[in-house]
Amino acid sequence: MRPVPAAPPASFTLYARGYCHLCDDMLAALQALETPSQPFAITVVDVDADPALGARFDELVPVLYGALDQPELCHYFLDRVAVLAYLEGQARNPVGRPEIR
């Protein structure tokens, strides 16, 4: 029997600004949720580096997404419940693996 490949870690995208203390706070709160048994990747995107992103998010930052094709998980402050639910969903059905019922 071949071993099942490891599931990729969950990932988050945080739309932020460099001078935004709320953005720093959300990043720190998100990083505090990571554990050795549940690692995840965080991509921080500076909305001011792209005029389209700056126009889209304006003063809404920070904005946190899990899957970019899904609605945001939270903005301004980390929604711990939403993030943990997203991580639980990723653990149950990682990308690329069919859901077994």
Side-chain angles (χ1 to χ4, degrees):
M1 178 184 283
R2 291 186 304 169
V4 175
S11 64
F12 295 94
T13 302
L14 176 63
Y15 291 95
R17 288 193 157 89
Y19 59 85
C20 170
H21 74 90
L22 290 177
C23 301
D24 296 337
D25 292 349
M26 185 179 285
L27 178 60
L30 181 60
Q31 289 170 327
L33 294 179
E34 187 173 24
T35 65
S37 63
Q38 183 134 52
F40 51 79
I42 306 168
T43 301
V44 179
V45 178
D46 182 353
V47 299
D48 293 326
D50 181 337
L53 290 176
R56 176 180 174 192
F57 292 108
D58 194 28
E59 296 301 318
L60 187 65
V61 296
V63 181
L64 183 65
Y65 284 85
L68 292 176
D69 62 346
Q70 298 294 315
E72 70 183 55
L73 293 172
C74 53
H75 62 268
Y76 298 138
F77 303 98
L78 186 77
D79 183 339
R80 181 182 170 92
V81 172
V83 169
L84 292 175
Y86 172 76
L87 288 170
E88 183 179 314
Q90 291 296 297
R92 277 196 319 254
N93 188 25
V95 175
R97 290 190 174 169
E99 187 170 342
I100 298 172
R101 295 179 192 232

